[in-house]
């Protein structure tokens, strides 16, 4: 989770270990969906 666009860009270089990056603001539904995708992967 990050609120800074430059950190999101940096996370893209870590594709092997990063499943997704949430940017703020996000809803509880967004968080749940992201966690569900990560667990399904």
């Amino acid at each position: 989770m990050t609120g800074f666009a430059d950190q999101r860009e940096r996370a893209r270089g870590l594709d092997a270990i990063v499943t997704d990056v949430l940017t703020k603001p996000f809803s509880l539904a967004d968080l749940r969906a992201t966690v569900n995708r990560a667990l399904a992967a």
Side-chain angles (χ1 to χ4, degrees):
M1 167 177 58
T2 184
F4 300 99
D6 62 329
Q7 288 179 354
R8 181 180 178 99
E9 293 303 316
R10 196 174 332 148
R12 289 191 181 157
L14 303 174
D15 289 336
I17 60 172
V18 174
T19 302
D20 204 347
V21 175
L22 285 174
T23 54
K24 297 176 187 174
F26 58 87
S27 68
L28 182 56
D30 296 333
L31 177 59
R32 286 181 176 158
T34 300
V35 170
N36 283 334
R37 284 192 302 270
L39 293 174

